Structure formats: structure tokens, C-alpha cells
Amino acid sequence: MNAPVSPAETLRSALATLLDGLPPKRAAQAVERLIAHYRGATPTDAPILRDRADVAAYAAYRMPATFEAVRAALGAFADAVPGWVPKSHVDVGGGTGAATWAVSATWSGGRSVTVLDWAEPALALGREIAAANPALQRAGWRRARIGKDLGLDDTDLVTVSYVLNELTEADRAALVDAAASAARAVVIVEAGTPGGYARIIEARDRLIAAGFHIAAPCPHSAACPIVPGEDWCHFSARVSRSSLHRRVKSGSLAYEDEKFSYVAATRLPVAPAASRVVRRPQIRKGQVLMELCEPDERLSRTTVTKRHGDLYKAARDADWGDAWPPHAQEP
């Protein structure tokens, strides 16, 4: 019997098919323009993706990385709220729908799905790509301005990925408030930069003020212990590249690391991580050095050595962003 194809593999295949009909030179030009935009700091409420070529280039350039970042955030959220499965999902500013693919990879089963975006070409292409994913074939794709006039129906889960950077401060606040009013759970992902982290903290504060509990990445719902301007909280997701993906991105490696910041919050009871690994563990001879965010609102450094037995083995396998210590073990 053939093993089932994962959503990640299905998405890569769909994107490869999508790029087959797009001249590489045109795709590269569109990617360069999009990179220039996303590196800028000027918010806009105008559609960035102008036509199918733009959207196809964007999908090849961003969808695999967005999918992996959102899937990592959702995985941490699911660990903190075990047994809960969303029955409805609204992806705000979802474009071609990478977050909807990540949700289907995190929780099996059917659910109602709605993608909201202001770029009609992105919605059209997202609908086309989603035909390859059985969990998304009945999804709704709706044009909407993302900002202060956004209205959201009640839903279990709202995702907002790589959207806040495109909004004014007032529209960011309105979007987070609308999500908090409509959803039982909200997951927001931004670029893993100081600016992306600042936007995540801003959203985190608003969600807590609205009565939400932080499920991940923080082990608490109190103030972040990071001093603004001195550091920022971010994580990394490994992204596999197809040959077509490498060509469009002018890359030679078979993978890339997507840096992202996120917050996952809910009105449900949560069991957050005892602590969170906030930097890549350093493996030395006979010891592992780990930097942790602790439940008592502080950052700490700990060293796990061979004398810790099974915990040392777990530390050698621990990755950046993981909960610590592993379930059912104590340091």
C-alpha cells in the first residue's frame, strides 16, 4: 500500500505544476519586485499582487516558507491545547492560502475554511492550487479589505500570517481586535526580525487584554522578559526547496531556514510548555547548552550533561523552538 502524500509534498507538486507555464525570466523579475516591496517599511492597503504572473511568482517564492512557519506555530499551539480540533478556520490576509494548508497538515478531518484577502488574483490562484488538497476543496475565497472595517464571523480559529507588516498601526490594532472578538483561538505569524517581533508583541498584548491565554511560544501570559531593542524572540523552520523553487529564488541549496516570530493565543484552557528553547542548542563534548524562556518571566541558560542520563539524550535531540523539558521528564 502506498503511503499517503503529505500536504507539504502535495503543495510542492502543485507549485511545480503552476510554474511550468510561467517563463523563468518573468518569474524572476516578479520575485525581485516583491522582495523589494517586502524589504520596505512603508505600509500599504493597496494590493501588491497585480496579476497571475505576480501571484505565481509570489506563491513559488513564499508559500513553502509560510507553510512551514505557520505549521510550526500551529504545532506548538496544538501541543498546548491537546485534544482540541478547530471545526472552522478563517485565514485573514491569506493570499494564496499557505496557512490553510498548514492547518490541514496540523489537524486532520474536515472544517469550514474561509480565506480573506484584498488581491483577487491571489484568491483565484489560491483556489486553483487548493484543488489538489481534499481538505480545501470546499473552502471559500472572499475579497475583503484587511483593516479597521473588517468584519469576521464567529469561528474556532483565525490565522494571520505575514500581514501585519502591510498595515498601518491603526489597522493592525483593528485586525487583532476583530480576530479576538470572533475566534476561540488566534495564531499570528510575522517575519523573524526585530520589527516582526515588535508587531507580534503588540498583538500579544492586545490578545491578553481581550482575555486570551498565551498557548505558545511563551510559557506564560505575563510580560515578555526580553528588553526591547536588545534582542527579539524568533524561531526557525527548515524549508525544502524543489528544483523549480531554487531556480525562482536563485538559490543552490536544497533547503532554506525561514526565521519567524509568532504568538498563539486562545480562550480555551491551556497547558503551555514548562519552558521554551529560544536559541539553537549548542552541543559540546559531553554537554548541551540551552537558552530558555521560563514560566517566571525570565530568560535562563542551562547546561545538560551526561550525568543527567536520558535528559541529556533528549537535550541532544532538542531543537530551537521546542518545549523543554520533554513530556514526562524533569530536569
Side-chain angles (χ1 to χ4, degrees), residues 300-314:
S300 71
R301 294 182 178 179
T302 188
T303 301
V304 183
T305 66
K306 282 186 175 180
R307 67 183 177 83
H308 289 105
D310 289 342
L311 200 65
Y312 170 70
K313 296 177 184 178

Side-chain angles (χ1 to χ4, degrees), residues 4-5 14 34 47 52 58 94 131 147 171 174 193 231 238-239 288 295 324:
V5 179
L34 290 166
R52 183 183 172 86
Y58 170 81
D171 280 352
T193 62
D231 201 355
R238 179 59 54 91
V239 183
V288 181
W324 185 261

Side-chain angles (χ1 to χ4, degrees), residues 270-293:
V270 297
S275 61
R276 180 78 59 185
V277 181
V278 292
R279 288 289 185 273
R280 200 177 301 281
Q282 301 297 308
I283 299 178
R284 309 283 172 81
K285 186 176 181 179
Q287 59 183 13
V288 181
L289 282 62
M290 307 178 76
E291 294 191 34
L292 304 173
C293 181

Side-chain angles (χ1 to χ4, degrees), residues 1-329:
M1 181 181 294
N2 293 331
V5 179
S6 71
E9 293 169 332
T10 303
L11 178 59
R12 283 195 292 271
S13 177
L15 291 174
T17 302
L18 179 68
L19 287 178
D20 279 344
L22 186 65
K25 183 176 180 180
R26 187 174 182 188
Q29 290 172 340
V31 166
E32 288 173 2
R33 186 180 66 80
L34 290 166
I35 291 173
H37 169 83
Y38 283 113
R39 285 179 178 166
T42 304
T44 178
D45 59 3
I48 301 156
L49 307 175
R50 302 175 301 190
D51 54 27
R52 183 183 172 86
D54 271 7
V55 178
Y58 170 81
Y61 173 62
R62 286 301 308 164
M63 274 193 84
T66 301
F67 168 84
E68 294 295 354
V70 177
R71 181 166 66 165
L74 292 171
F77 173 78
D79 287 343
V81 193
W84 184 72
V85 177
K87 297 302 182 184
S88 53
H89 171 213
V90 176
D91 187 19
V92 179
T96 51
T100 65
W101 286 76
V103 169
S104 71
T106 304
W107 294 284
S108 61
R111 64 187 52 85
S112 66
V113 178
T114 302
V115 182
L116 305 177
D117 200 274
W118 48 51
E120 183 60 41
L123 293 168
L125 197 71
R127 185 185 301 111
E128 180 182 328
I129 298 170
N133 187 338
L136 300 178
Q137 290 180 6
R138 291 191 291 177
W141 302 78
R142 200 170 83 218
R143 191 174 188 185
R145 184 192 179 281
I146 311 302
K148 61 183 177 62
D149 296 324
L150 178 68
L152 297 176
D153 295 332
D154 288 348
T155 184
D156 279 349
L157 173 67
V158 165
T159 56
V160 184
S161 50
Y162 299 92
V163 172
L164 299 184
N165 185 47
E166 301 175 20
L167 303 176
T168 64
E169 182 178 352
D171 280 352
R172 289 198 300 269
L175 169 54
V176 174
D177 290 348
S181 295
R184 301 177 72 194
V186 177
V187 177
I188 303 176
V189 179
E190 282 285 297
T193 62
Y197 163 72
R199 290 185 290 275
I200 287 295
I201 287 297
E202 181 184 82
R204 180 184 186 274
D205 289 345
R206 297 193 77 86
L207 290 169
I208 293 171
F212 277 67
H213 311 292
I214 302 302
C218 322
H220 57 79
S221 296
C224 177
I226 293 176
V227 178
E230 293 187 6
D231 201 355
W232 69 98
C233 182
H234 65 294
F235 303 93
S236 180
R238 179 59 54 91
V239 183
S240 297
R241 290 170 166 172
S242 68
S243 60
L244 286 171
H245 190 195
R246 292 196 299 271
R247 186 171 74 236
V248 169
K249 296 196 72 171
S250 301
S252 58
L253 295 177
Y255 66 88
E256 65 183 9
D257 289 324
E258 171 72 5
K259 304 297 195 303
F260 65 98
S261 296
Y262 77 97
V263 61
T266 180
R267 296 189 184 278
L268 300 162
V270 297
S275 61
R276 180 78 59 185
V277 181
V278 292
R279 288 289 185 273
R280 200 177 301 281
Q282 301 297 308
I283 299 178
R284 309 283 172 81
K285 186 176 181 179
Q287 59 183 13
V288 181
L289 282 62
M290 307 178 76
E291 294 191 34
L292 304 173
C293 181
E294 302 279 15
D296 54 355
E297 304 172 49
R298 66 184 178 94
L299 300 174
S300 71
R301 294 182 178 179
T302 188
T303 301
V304 183
T305 66
K306 282 186 175 180
R307 67 183 177 83
H308 289 105
D310 289 342
L311 200 65
Y312 170 70
K313 296 177 184 178
R316 289 183 61 88
D317 292 334
D319 201 0
W320 185 5
D322 284 354
W324 185 261
H327 293 305
Q329 296 192 38

